[in-house]
């Protein structure tokens, strides 16, 4: 039995769901994987932070998190100055980095993960930013320290995509992929089929907590472009940036467009495509009408899908239905187990 | 660089496709995985066998295989007596067992794999029989010899299903699955939608080499039941036999049934289901009308699909389109790489 000290940077919906999942899976981790753990520290930007080298009371932390209360009361040491100070001081073996995504720079997650690896920790994140802005550098750094940089939840929540290629599909060369990778826009388009206007549907996704107050990251295709860049960088080994992706959002789609597609037995989807072209890639995020035969047609609401074309498998499609913070949390747990087993 | 000696037992469409894939991937195996190989022996029931400890000429063997010619000419030793004699004599590190499936006993594959493991080889097969009739025994035997018993291609050809749960989905508890797992019946039902009768469609699948002369294994639901039993045994750790699966084939489906479903926006599919019930399982293979919203609806022709419900992921669906012997061969290659890396 090995006992691992964990540090959680970020403790919003996903961080709390992950802490709860750790509790729920505690026995199973012991019996199936010989893994024990304690949580040495939790850092938040707005609700304080707590470090206890002997292990925090996770249930108490989750309760404080849900109540939007300050975590400082749980700490056995003086409060830390900032996130970098937290990483240096927490004395953990694994950092779970769940700060908000920054499409343009990947910061501050990039610096957090770099420091964690330099400090000898495994670094696990649900954040797409450091994947597109630092995959090669961080992976090399991790390898040089015999540590792992894993990020299963960065694309399609907890659905196994990166680990699929890392472990289950050896010797396969990815030629192209097509998918629906942004939940918010797919939910908006789904609700527009039920006769909501774009504005009504957008407003619903905001009230449901899926879209931000400034929804441009989703509806202008940035989130989808980051995911395309992440998949291309990791799975095809061709690093591209979100700005390199030809990008068109769904602002232009009207209720009339939706009705016209429906009448033709088709559906509007924000389609992500990426294919090898020469030694490079052709990548695109744009609304498209997909026919009933498409593997994308039936993927509704906040669900997502990706179809992979490989040299050895003509078409393999993965669909994840109804994701939530718990699903993302599972991706972090899978990365944890895979990093240490 | 490690060099592995391989033995192929069975050299039909899949065995030949695997040999060809080994040739096609020779460089990639070296550069990406530090794997070199030679084929020490090939055994067939009807076209002789060949052993060469220094490595057979694989291209020559594939050419002979395609020509249905006898392999004996390639052998540098006297011909072997039978398949067991071949396994004892071939001096390989990995046996690829591709003998025909036997739904009721799993033989002779079961004995082949047992002997191979006892002789210190990894055993890899595309055969469902030994999975449902010997999974626990063979896996224990493999573990005790520090060898692997892998069978990715036994269900859904080369699509990663077993390795998905083995490596990419740690800590997930499978609660139920639903799918289309038999290619022949799905192709028959697809062609019946294009106005062929059951007999015409069946005859086509036979001429295309998918269905056997005696097609009962497919159309009476045996093949699907074996696959349900294999998934339940391995992924849910509840060993069941094909006869335990409630089973109904597609002989009763008429052209009128197909038309009636179509008119209602539905489709007939041979649906496999398995769910935990108490400490056991409820399993079933039967034709069902699936609605357009079902993840099974769009899976046509010889394609297959499985939807998994887990405690940590509410629904994860895998679709494999247009499989062929090359796809099955890829599953064998993936098992090879995963067994030795």
């Amino acid at each position: 039995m090995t006992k691992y000290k964990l540090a959680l940077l970020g403790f919003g919906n996903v961080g709390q769901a992950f802490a709860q999942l750790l509790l729920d899976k505690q026995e199973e981790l012991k019996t199936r994987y010989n893994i024990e753990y304690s949580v040495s520290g939790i850092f938040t930007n707005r609700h304080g932070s707590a470090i206890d080298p002997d292990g925090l009371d996770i249930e108490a932390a989750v309760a404080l998190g849900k109540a939007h209360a300050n975590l400082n009361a749980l700490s056995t040491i003086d409060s830390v100055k900032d996130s970098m100070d937290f990483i240096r001081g927490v004395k953990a073996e694994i950092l779970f980095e769940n700060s908000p995504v920054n499409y343009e720079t990947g910061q501050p997650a990039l610096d957090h993960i770099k420091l964690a690896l330099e400090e000898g920790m495994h670094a696990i994140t649900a954040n797409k930013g450091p994947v597109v802005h630092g995959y090669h550098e961080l992976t090399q750094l991790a390898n040089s320290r015999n540590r792992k940089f894993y990020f299963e939840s960065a694309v399609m929540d907890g659905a196994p995509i990166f680990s699929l290629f890392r472990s289950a599909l050896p010797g396969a060369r990815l030629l192209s992929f097509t998918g629906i990778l942004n939940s918010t826009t797919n939910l908006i388009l789904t609700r527009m089929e039920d006769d909501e206007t774009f504005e009504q549907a957008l407003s619903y996704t905001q009230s449901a907590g899926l879209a931000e107050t400034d929804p441009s990251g989703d509806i202008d295709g940035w989130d989808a472009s980051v995911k395309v860049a992440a998949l291309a960088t990791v799975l095809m080994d061709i690093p591209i940036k979100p700005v390199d992706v030809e990008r068109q959002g769904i602002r232009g789609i009207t209720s009339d467009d939706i009705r016209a597609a429906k009448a033709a037995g088709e559906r509007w989807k924000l389609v992500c495509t990426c294919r090898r072209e020469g030694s490079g890639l052709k990548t695109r995020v744009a609304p498209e009408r997909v026919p009933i035969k498409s593997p994308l047609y039936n993927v509704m609401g906040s669900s997502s899908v990706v179809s992979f074309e490989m040299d050895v498998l003509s078409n393999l499609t993965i669909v994840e239905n109804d994701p939530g913070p718990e699903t993302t949390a599972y991706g972090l747990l899978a990365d944890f187990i895979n990093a240490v087993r």
Side-chain angles (χ1 to χ4, degrees), chain A residues 175 232-233 236 238 240 274-277 279-283:
Chain A
L175 305 175
T233 300
M236 300 165 105
I238 299 182
I240 59 167
C274 174
R275 64 172 38 84
R276 289 185 194 271
E277 217 175 61
S279 61
L281 294 174
K282 172 113 180 85
T283 55

Side-chain angles (χ1 to χ4, degrees), chain A residues 176-193:
Chain A
S176 72
F177 64 82
T178 306
I180 300 170
L181 298 174
N182 177 266
S183 292
T184 303
T185 47
N186 205 50
L187 182 54
I188 290 173
L189 294 171
T190 297
R191 293 183 73 92
M192 285 176 77
E193 286 193 35

Side-chain angles (χ1 to χ4, degrees), chain A residues 58-111:
Chain A
I58 302 174
E59 282 184 59
V62 171
L64 290 173
K66 286 196 192 311
H68 304 285
N70 194 294
L71 296 172
N72 288 356
L74 299 176
S75 199
T76 61
I77 67 160
D78 286 347
S79 67
V80 292
K81 206 169 72 233
D82 57 25
S83 55
M84 298 297 271
D85 195 34
F86 170 79
I87 296 169
R88 275 187 214 97
V90 71
K91 306 286 179 223
E93 279 122 14
I94 302 167
L95 178 74
F96 295 88
E97 207 290 340
N98 293 306
S99 65
V101 64
N102 178 313
Y103 300 140
E104 281 159 40
T105 66
Q107 293 293 12
L110 209 53
D111 283 344

